């Protein structure tokens, strides 16, 4: 068991790839936003890459361990410490019974991941242990962790002293600027050439009104093609309205003039167009971007986006680890 | 002695509880230990920035609406 | 417009959106659901799931197992095998939901909105005015006369988007502007040409005029009628609202609380689009399955 002393900011149990197969009932996959860092945390402690771990957002938790185990912390730099003694991230570390793990506020990046040998053993809901906080599904009692809770951990065996080499870690930016890959479509033909050019050449500011359901962007106006105005009235009155349709995960959803990137806990359908889609390989960047930072978008083909995802998956394996 | 008030987490810093309200504190105001001098917004939530000691608010180092890092100095108390 | 050739649109590295047309038309939803069910049956390697909507189908695939072009090819082939939408037959469960029309809770909710947010004509009266009905009793009779088709689920897990199958019962209504900040759980509502049931208390924009005491969303996942899911409905189900008295409503509510409520579900029927369309032309539904908004 691990006891929660301080919860941090909506710290939640997630597994990867999450709750898959229920999109047609309105369930998002949930899961870690930066699955690159998440998978490495698991691999470091000897787990399957997708085992249930903790996602810490901006402000980390304080946890009390009642048994010896091995843990790893990856992702955003939250200066983890055991009984007040700082220890390095991106490596497996032995924890003794009755030690306290504390993570602070994120100095670099937005989300850190804690994996424990064996993984968390909370009850599965629809095939996943991931937390969908908004609807109260998965995790512990459906929500992010709370002070006083006991988090069940499965039996596991980890080896301390393993390390993810620098060159295999995601490059978490410190200059407040991110280049995010996007694929065109499904509704890019609703945006006129000037609008497309503006989207791809502007710096978009990530709003603080962003969470695991959607990332709101601030930037220039959108302009539309004839298609957005000349349509049956059941589409709705705004140029960005369309007859309700399914949303892909990562959709850049145009609600009026405000683009919202639909992320891990986002809605499955609705009545706005999605001119571009952020592919899965770029999600880790969204997970590490912070409010007020700038996003630039770079157009890639579907094939290139698929190649990038494959390269990340091939990295997040035990063979990459070295001795610290 | 000058004491700095630090941001508890990264996000956007605000000096006012809402856009139309008056700022929590002006420069020169007295501040009690534990008193809120501003807010930080992240993930659709607002977190108070609290002074950990009492003093007089000498000056703000971050302006309303600024993007701040965790542990960045927000204000100085004397 | 119904597209001669459905449009296949790429959506990132893992999704494909297939559009069948750009209008609200039950036939397009039948095609979307027919294709979803054909895909589930064909178990195409690398296709993870599909989600039908009013006039489109979203496909989620695993690109390490199947490429984009092959997904397009497979779905074009499946669509070809469906033939015309008239030939589609779908497994369709029918749910009977006890419903208290003109109930005190949605009434109180509307009054609260009028007092705090904006004055408006009460929702049942607005529906009467907008649809040329005699009075609210007429509204109840008409609304409860039709079966409703679960076109898709979304916005909230388990929230059904419903379309009246009987063309004579098709009502329309504007949406709230601004939206309500709250809606009673189980409220039945109508916005545009779509009906819905609120699975939990949420903000909302549909006109509300009835309430069902039986859960359509269960985060414990333990009710047998949910068959292991947390949501009662699936796309392609049908719903019939059964008007009940306050006494029957309260009895059902107690039974739900005590865990002994028995859902009335008919599970042995198929929905045949051809038979449906024949029936629609017989009852005089103008323009077949076309839904006006």
């Amino acid at each position: 068991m691990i006891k929660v002393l301080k919860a941090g900011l909506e710290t939640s149990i997630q597994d990867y790839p999450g709750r898959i197969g229920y999109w047609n009932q309105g369930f998002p996959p949930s899961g870690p936003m930066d699955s690159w860092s998440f998978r490495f945390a698991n691999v470091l402690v000897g787990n399957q890459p997708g085992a249930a771990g903790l996602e810490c957002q901006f402000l980390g938790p304080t946890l009390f361990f009642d048994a010896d185990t091995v843990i790893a912390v990856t992702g955003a730099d939250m200066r983890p410490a055991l009984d007040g003694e700082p220890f390095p991230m991106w490596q497996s570390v032995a924890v003794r019974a009755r030690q306290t793990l504390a993570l602070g506020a994120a100095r670099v990046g937005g989300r850190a991941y804690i994996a424990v040998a064996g993984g968390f053993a909370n009850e599965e809901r629809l095939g996943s242990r991931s937390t969908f906080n908004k609807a109260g599904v998965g995790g512990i009692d459906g929500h992010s962790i709370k002070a006083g809770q006991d988090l069940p951990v499965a039996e596991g065996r980890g080896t301390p002293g393993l390390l993810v080499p620098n060159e295999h870690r995601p490059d978490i930016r410190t200059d407040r600027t991110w280049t995010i890959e996007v694929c065109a479509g499904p509704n890019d033909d609703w945006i006129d050439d000037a609008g497309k050019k503006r989207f791809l050449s502007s710096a978009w500011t990530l709003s603080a009104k962003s969470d695991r359901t959607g990332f709101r962007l601030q930037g220039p106006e959108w302009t539309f093609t004839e298609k957005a105005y000349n349509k049956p009235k059941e589409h709705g009155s705004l140029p960005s309205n369309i007859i309700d349709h399914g949303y892909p995960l990562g959709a850049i959803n145009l609600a009026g003039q405000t683009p919202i990137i639909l992320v891990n806990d986002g809605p499955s359908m609705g009545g706005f167009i999605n001119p571009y889609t952020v592919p899965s390989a770029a999600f880790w960047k969204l997970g590490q971007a912070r409010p007020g930072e700038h996003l630039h978008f770079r157009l890639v083909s579907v094939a290139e986006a698929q190649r990038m995802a494959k390269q990340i998956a091939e990295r997040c394996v035990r063979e990459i680890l070295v001795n610290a | 002695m000058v004491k700095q008030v630090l941001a508890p987490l990264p996000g956007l810093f605000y000096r006012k509880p809402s856009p139309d309200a008056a700022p929590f504190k002006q420069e020169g105001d007295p501040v009690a230990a534990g008193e809120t001098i501003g807010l930080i917004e992240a993930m659709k939530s607002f977190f108070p920035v609290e002074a950990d000691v009492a003093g007089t608010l000498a000056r703000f180092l971050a302006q309303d609406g600024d993007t701040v890092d965790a542990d960045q100095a927000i204000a100085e108390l004397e | 417009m119904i597209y001669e050739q459905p449009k296949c649109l790429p959506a990132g590295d893992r999704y494909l959106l297939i559009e069948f047309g750009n209008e609200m038309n039950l036939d397009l939803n039948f095609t979307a659901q027919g294709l979803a069910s054909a895909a589930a049956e064909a178990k195409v390697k690398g296709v993870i799931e599909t989600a039908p909507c009013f006039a489109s189908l979203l496909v989620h695939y695993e690109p390490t197992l199947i490429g984009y072009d092959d997904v397009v090819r497979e779905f074009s082939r499946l669509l070809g095998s469906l033939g015309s939408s008239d030939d589609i037959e779908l497994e369709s469960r029918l749910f009977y939901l006890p419903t208290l029309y003109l109930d005190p809770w949605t009434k109180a909710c509307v009054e609260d909105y009028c007092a705090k947010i904006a004055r408006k004509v009460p929702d049942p009266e607005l529906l009467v005015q907008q649809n040329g009905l005699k009075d609210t009793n007429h509204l109840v009779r008409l609304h409860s006369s039709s079966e409703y088709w679960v076109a898709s689920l979304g916005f909230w897990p388990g929230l059904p988007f419903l379309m009246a199958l009987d063309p004579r019962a098709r009502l329309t209504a504007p949406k709230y502007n601004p939206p309500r900040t709250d809606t009673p759980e189980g409220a039945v509502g109508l916005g545009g040409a779509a009906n819905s049931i609120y699975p939990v208390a949420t903000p909302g924009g549909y006109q509300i005029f009835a309430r069902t005491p039986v859960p359509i969303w269960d985060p414990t996942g333990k009710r047998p009628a949910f068959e292991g899911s947390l949501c009662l409905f699936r796309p392609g189900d049908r719903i019939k609202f059964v008007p009940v008295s306050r006494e029957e409503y309260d009895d059902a509510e107690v039974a739900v609380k005590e865990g002994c409520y028995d859902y009335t579900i008919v599970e042995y029927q198929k929905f045949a689009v051809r038979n449906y369309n024949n029936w629609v032309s017989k009852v005089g539904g103008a323009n077949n399955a076309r839904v006006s908004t």
Side-chain angles (χ1 to χ4, degrees), chain B:
Chain B
M1 200 181 76
V2 175
K3 281 284 256 177
Q4 290 185 330
V5 183
L6 307 181
L9 77 169
L12 295 184
F13 172 69
Y14 297 104
R15 284 184 54 188
K16 304 182 249 183
S18 66
D20 322 317
F24 287 101
K25 288 289 167 189
Q26 299 287 2
E27 294 180 349
D29 284 353
V31 177
E35 203 175 355
T36 298
I37 65 157
L39 297 173
I40 288 178
E41 186 186 20
M43 295 217 307
K44 298 186 182 170
S45 303
F46 291 91
F47 301 85
V49 181
E50 294 166 355
D52 45 8
V53 295
T56 301
L57 206 152
R59 62 192 184 105
F60 278 97
L61 302 169
Q63 301 310 308
D64 195 63
D66 275 2
T67 303
V68 297
D69 283 326
D71 293 342
Q72 183 178 327
I74 297 288
E76 283 181 354
L77 300 181
E78 279 175 354

Side-chain angles (χ1 to χ4, degrees), chain C residues 5-17:
Chain C
Q5 277 300 319
K7 291 188 183 172
C8 289
L9 308 169
D13 59 329
R14 307 180 61 87
Y15 297 88
L16 157 73
L17 182 69

Side-chain angles (χ1 to χ4, degrees), chain A residues 165-179:
Chain A
N166 252 320
E167 66 272 23
H168 290 290
R169 304 175 191 173
D171 174 23
I172 300 176
R173 308 292 299 181
T174 54
D175 62 357
R176 298 186 189 284
T177 302
W178 297 85
T179 299

Side-chain angles (χ1 to χ4, degrees), chain C residues 196-277:
Chain C
S196 194
I197 306 168
Y198 288 81
V200 295
T202 59
Y206 282 18
Q207 309 289 334
I208 49 177
F209 49 89
R211 193 182 185 197
T212 179
V214 305
I216 63 165
W217 155 255
D218 175 21
T220 71
K222 300 239 161 82
R223 290 174 202 277
F226 286 61
E227 297 183 356
S229 180
L230 312 189
C231 311
L232 187 57
F233 305 123
R234 293 193 290 259
D237 285 334
R238 285 163 298 143
I239 294 171
K240 186 89 164 60
F241 297 103
V242 182
V244 295
S245 66
R246 176 65 194 265
E247 201 183 347
E248 290 169 291
Y249 180 98
D250 290 343
D251 286 349
E253 196 173 43
V254 169
V256 165
K257 277 211 184 91
E258 290 173 353
C260 57
Y261 180 79
D262 230 346
Y263 285 83
T264 310
I265 311 168
V266 174
E267 300 198 42
Y268 49 75
Q269 296 172 335
K270 274 202 169 189
F271 186 89
V273 173
R274 173 172 290 107
N275 296 352
Y276 170 70
N277 282 337

Side-chain angles (χ1 to χ4, degrees), chain A residues 111-131:
Chain A
R111 287 171 177 84
Y113 296 92
I114 305 173
V116 182
F120 290 96
N122 57 308
E123 205 184 334
E124 285 193 358
R125 272 271 174 271
L126 306 180
S128 165
R129 297 191 164 88
S130 283
T131 311

Side-chain angles (χ1 to χ4, degrees), chain A residues 21 25 125 233-235 280 306, chain C residues 13 22 24 158 220 229 293:
Chain A
Q25 294 187 345
R125 272 271 174 271
K233 67 175 179 186
E234 59 258 42
H235 285 264
S280 59
Q306 293 173 340
Chain C
D13 59 329
N22 76 341
M24 287 276 250
T220 71
S229 180
T293 47

